[in-house]
Amino acid sequence: MIDCPAGQRKHELAEEYLAKTRVSQGLFLVLVGRAQAPVWDVSAKHLHRKKKADAPSLRWGRLYVNHYSFHILDPDWGHLTIKISGHPPFPAQVILNGHEYVACQARKAGIAFTKEGNCFTTISDAAGLAKIADTLSEPRAIGRLSQVCERWIYHCVCFALDFDEQKRSGFRYQYSNYQIEYSRNLVFEGGRAHGPGVSGPH
């Protein structure tokens, strides 16, 4: 677990740790940083009122609070990040990369490749890799995203609610927004494209 100052390029720090981790599956790094989140705020004057008739009023607002970024190696999606606010209702953001998914599935299918950053530069079976990438454009992709979220998110929120507390309270996440961006990369040499780099949604 590392506390990150303002301006820290967290994704670069995570890549450094990913390159040297011995973890093959599961959590390998937690980064802590401050960011805005919706929280309930009760001022001191509300907490110390003596008159029972004066019930404390709560204010819902956005404050800077600690957020915990759990960096995880998943067998299907590779490196993913779950960022959770340290305050109730513990809003979370799950960050995945479709190129990582394609790479994991290509390894399972026995497709050899080399990859530079987000671009596949050499591929033993370009058609096979393209078929894997196309699965992320299918309606079933939402189910795959839900599965990976459910696989890890409740382990991450254990810093605030252990499994028994989660069960007793009925605490569950509902995923309200999926954003998939599509890119197709070309590899350039001397200003001329010499072949497509197959890429998928991320």
Side-chain angles (χ1 to χ4, degrees):
M1 182 178 286
I2 299 175
D3 286 308
C4 298
Q8 172 76 57
R9 297 179 70 84
K10 298 180 185 65
H11 67 283
E12 292 180 358
L13 184 59
E15 289 298 325
E16 289 177 21
Y17 275 81
L18 177 60
K20 60 187 179 184
T21 185
R22 295 182 180 180
V23 174
S24 58
Q25 182 176 320
L27 179 70
F28 70 89
L29 178 66
V30 180
L31 299 178
V32 184
R34 293 182 72 76
Q36 279 193 333
V39 296
W40 287 108
D41 181 41
V42 182
S43 65
K45 65 179 181 180
H46 290 138
L47 291 174
H48 297 293
R49 288 189 178 194
K50 294 182 179 179
K51 294 181 181 179
K52 292 184 179 179
D54 295 332
S57 60
L58 299 175
R59 183 170 61 89
W60 181 251
R62 297 186 68 83
L63 301 176
Y64 278 89
V65 298
N66 278 351
H67 283 68
Y68 301 84
S69 295
F70 297 85
H71 290 266
I72 296 164
L73 282 175
D74 181 80
D76 294 326
W77 287 86
H79 180 198
L80 64 95
T81 307
I82 299 179
K83 182 180 177 182
I84 300 181
S85 168
H87 287 255
F90 310 113
Q93 181 181 26
V94 182
I95 304 161
L96 312 113
N97 187 326
H99 296 260
E100 288 279 315
Y101 176 84
V102 172
C104 287
Q105 300 307 311
R107 288 187 195 99
K108 291 179 181 180
I111 298 173
F113 62 87
T114 57
K115 192 168 170 280
E116 293 180 25
N118 246 4
C119 187
F120 293 89
T121 52
T122 61
I123 308 160
S124 65
D125 179 3
L129 195 74
K131 284 181 182 178
I132 293 171
D134 287 343
T135 62
L136 290 176
S137 300
E138 300 172 349
R140 291 183 297 174
I142 296 298
R144 292 190 185 97
L145 288 168
S146 295
Q147 286 174 352
V148 71
C149 291
E150 292 289 306
R151 188 179 301 153
W152 298 109
I153 199 163
Y154 297 105
H155 293 280
C156 296
V157 82
C158 270
F159 76 90
L161 297 171
D162 64 31
F163 286 119
D164 288 338
E165 289 175 308
Q166 291 179 36
K167 188 174 181 180
R168 283 196 306 270
S169 66
F171 181 87
R172 300 298 295 174
Y173 278 102
Q174 292 183 340
Y175 309 108
S176 59
N177 182 38
Y178 296 95
Q179 178 179 333
I180 297 180
E181 300 172 4
Y182 186 82
S183 67
R184 185 166 295 279
N185 300 328
L186 295 175
V187 180
F188 290 90
E189 277 185 5
R192 297 178 60 187
H194 68 83
V198 178
S199 64
H202 65 284

